[in-house]
Amino acid sequence: MAAMSLLLRAAAVWGARRAASSTRLPWLVGVARLPGTVAPVRHSSSHGKRMFIIKATSFYDTRFLNLLRFYIFLTAIPAALFITYVNIFIGEAELAEIPEGYTPDYWEYYKHPISRWIARYLLDPPEKDYEKEMALLDVEAKKTQLRLMQLEARRLMRQRGDGPWYHYETPDKNLVDNSMKSTPDN
Amino acid sequence: MPEDRDWEAYKVPPTRTPVSEKTPSVLNPVSFIETVFKYVIDAPVTFVREWIERQQAKNKFYYYHQKFRRVPDLSECLEDDYLCFFEAEAQWKRDRMVDQEIVEIIRERLGACKQREGPNQFQNCAKEAEQLLQVTKAYQDRYGDLGVHGNARTCLMKQKHRMMEERKAQADASQET
């Protein structure tokens, strides 16, 4: 919206300049005015009649753009200065063959000094990341195996009935009342 | 990282234009432009660059290309050994990236040859063109239609199918003879 109003304002200025350059007085040509805001008057030097121009407010737009620029530059300028300092005074690493009997540290595989610093102080070594991922996979693999074994045990116990699972509580046979079945003529 | 490549491989043969000793009476505008360029642009830029390099030369440090150990392939992994699968997968991805770079280098060689030879390229670049053809055919055979979700397993299956086709073709050929 702010950009759109900027565009409209620029178009109005261009239109005013185009309209003014063909017909108007020479000292009014270069002055940027909105159309219909300049009226020639007899005794005033170059301003024309002072008009109160009614236009939509640009307060919010300019405030937004100022704040945007401020907050972007607040960190962008120090970051740009720091990165320029690093690039000029510290410089990038040079490619070299790995010397005999020397294992480079894991941050020495990066070229830019800031990448090296991040790899050294902020991130974990890639070997540790690798091992972490393999540990997760190992835990999940063991879980799948245990679950498969559990399913197999459940199936066998249900089938054979000789395991601790699939026992159902039945009432005690001493509680059963057999009086109605005890005599044949009941 | 083009600045780390070996540009000696693409060295243009020296030109054979004769050196003329006579100096003309009219000032050559090209040499005038050259001197202007040298003093206005080239000298300050070279000065700044050399100053920067002097600052950077005070503490030099190096970076290396990592060499990875070879781990057992996917075809050597036992069933349900997910750790072995993971390591083989990582190795396969690294090998595929290396193969992609190899194809790229051969393609650049052909391009450099064409640029170097100019109008003679169709005759003189036949070796590089043949090499590129073979390398891209090999890459296509190995990694070709696996798609974006291609992994070591699909590649192994593709290899298995290729070997089966080969064996069938061989059996047909020996049956006909």
Side-chain angles (χ1 to χ4, degrees), chain B residues 28-64:
Chain B
N28 192 0
V30 174
S31 66
F32 173 70
I33 293 174
E34 274 183 355
T35 42
V36 163
F37 178 82
K38 193 174 89 165
Y39 285 112
V40 172
I41 300 176
D42 197 6
V45 168
T46 316
F47 177 74
V48 169
R49 177 72 202 170
E50 282 177 359
W51 179 81
I52 291 177
E53 279 181 359
R54 276 201 304 273
Q55 305 303 316
Q56 287 180 1
K58 286 176 188 163
N59 40 359
K60 263 175 144 356
F61 51 99
Y62 300 98
Y63 77 107
Y64 312 100

Side-chain angles (χ1 to χ4, degrees), chain A residues 87-91 93-99 102 104 108-111 116 130 133-134 137-138 141, chain B residues 1 3-4 51-52 55-56 59-67 71 80 82-83 86-88 90 94:
Chain A
N87 279 339
I88 291 181
F89 290 95
I90 300 181
E94 266 181 41
L95 185 60
E97 286 292 327
I98 300 179
Y102 174 70
E108 289 178 359
Y109 293 115
Y110 296 94
K111 188 156 74 162
R116 282 166 88 104
Y130 196 75
E133 214 171 327
M134 293 225 285
L137 281 178
D138 190 39
Chain B
M1 303 173 284
E3 62 268 20
D4 295 327
W51 179 81
I52 291 177
Q55 305 303 316
Q56 287 180 1
N59 40 359
K60 263 175 144 356
F61 51 99
Y62 300 98
Y63 77 107
Y64 312 100
H65 281 167
Q66 189 165 10
K67 288 194 171 55
V71 288
D80 287 343
Y82 294 99
L83 299 180
F86 177 73
E87 294 204 315
R94 287 195 297 265

Side-chain angles (χ1 to χ4, degrees), chain A residues 65-135:
Chain A
L65 290 171
N66 288 339
L67 286 174
L68 187 73
R69 272 203 318 260
F70 173 70
Y71 281 109
I72 286 180
F73 287 148
L74 188 63
T75 44
I77 289 184
L81 289 174
F82 176 69
I83 292 174
T84 311
Y85 171 80
V86 165
N87 279 339
I88 291 181
F89 290 95
I90 300 181
E92 293 183 337
E94 266 181 41
L95 185 60
E97 286 292 327
I98 300 179
E100 289 296 324
Y102 174 70
T103 42
D105 292 306
Y106 63 97
W107 66 83
E108 289 178 359
Y109 293 115
Y110 296 94
K111 188 156 74 162
H112 197 264
I114 297 182
S115 310
R116 282 166 88 104
W117 188 86
I118 292 174
R120 185 172 177 178
Y121 292 107
L122 298 182
L123 301 176
D124 276 330
E127 293 88 11
K128 187 170 175 188
D129 280 336
Y130 196 75
E131 295 291 327
K132 280 194 297 204
E133 214 171 327
M134 293 225 285

Side-chain angles (χ1 to χ4, degrees), chain A residues 4 13 18 31 38 41 49 78 89 93 97 119 129 135 138 141 157 161 181:
Chain A
M4 193 61 196
V13 164
R18 231 179 56 113
V31 176
V38 176
V41 163
K49 178 169 154 52
F89 290 95
E97 286 292 327
D129 280 336
D138 190 39
M157 280 198 222
K181 301 185 243 183

Side-chain angles (χ1 to χ4, degrees), chain B residues 104-145:
Chain B
E104 196 60 36
I105 286 176
I106 305 279
R107 220 160 62 88
E108 275 183 8
R109 274 196 205 163
L110 179 67
C113 179
K114 282 188 168 171
Q115 173 69 23
R116 215 171 39 221
E117 302 287 338
N120 305 331
Q121 66 196 20
F122 300 103
Q123 274 101 11
N124 292 0
C125 291
K127 261 207 295 283
E128 275 86 354
E130 180 63 32
Q131 208 176 25
L132 180 64
L133 193 63
Q134 283 173 353
V135 165
T136 43
K137 182 170 184 312
Y139 184 86
Q140 189 73 9
D141 281 342
R142 197 192 277 195
Y143 300 107
D145 293 311

Side-chain angles (χ1 to χ4, degrees), chain A:
Chain A
M1 194 179 79
M4 193 61 196
S5 67
L6 280 177
L7 185 64
L8 285 173
R9 211 177 300 282
V13 164
W14 177 76
R17 202 171 296 151
R18 231 179 56 113
S21 64
S22 53
T23 56
R24 300 281 176 172
L25 303 161
W27 56 80
L28 288 173
V29 166
V31 176
R33 294 284 158 86
L34 289 172
T37 59
V38 176
V41 163
R42 198 189 294 182
H43 288 300
S44 107
S45 52
S46 68
H47 300 274
K49 178 169 154 52
R50 271 179 48 187
M51 308 279 245
F52 181 80
I53 300 162
I54 300 181
K55 59 182 195 283
T57 178
S58 58
F59 171 74
Y60 299 101
D61 299 335
T62 39
R63 184 181 70 173
F64 169 71
L65 290 171
N66 288 339
L67 286 174
L68 187 73
R69 272 203 318 260
F70 173 70
Y71 281 109
I72 286 180
F73 287 148
L74 188 63
T75 44
I77 289 184
L81 289 174
F82 176 69
I83 292 174
T84 311
Y85 171 80
V86 165
N87 279 339
I88 291 181
F89 290 95
I90 300 181
E92 293 183 337
E94 266 181 41
L95 185 60
E97 286 292 327
I98 300 179
E100 289 296 324
Y102 174 70
T103 42
D105 292 306
Y106 63 97
W107 66 83
E108 289 178 359
Y109 293 115
Y110 296 94
K111 188 156 74 162
H112 197 264
I114 297 182
S115 310
R116 282 166 88 104
W117 188 86
I118 292 174
R120 185 172 177 178
Y121 292 107
L122 298 182
L123 301 176
D124 276 330
E127 293 88 11
K128 187 170 175 188
D129 280 336
Y130 196 75
E131 295 291 327
K132 280 194 297 204
E133 214 171 327
M134 293 225 285
L136 272 178
L137 281 178
D138 190 39
V139 164
E140 292 296 316
K142 289 202 167 79
K143 271 160 72 173
T144 51
Q145 275 176 350
L146 282 175
R147 282 175 189 149
L148 283 173
M149 285 201 295
Q150 184 195 30
L151 285 175
E152 185 67 17
R154 215 173 73 178
R155 188 184 67 86
L156 287 171
M157 280 198 222
R158 198 183 185 120
Q159 187 186 39
R160 297 175 190 167
D162 57 354
W165 295 353
Y166 292 106
H167 287 197
Y168 299 105
E169 285 288 328
T170 48
D172 193 10
K173 71 170 173 16
N174 302 319
L175 298 171
V176 172
D177 175 24
N178 284 323
S179 58
M180 54 198 75
K181 301 185 243 183
S182 50
T183 52
D185 301 327
N186 211 350

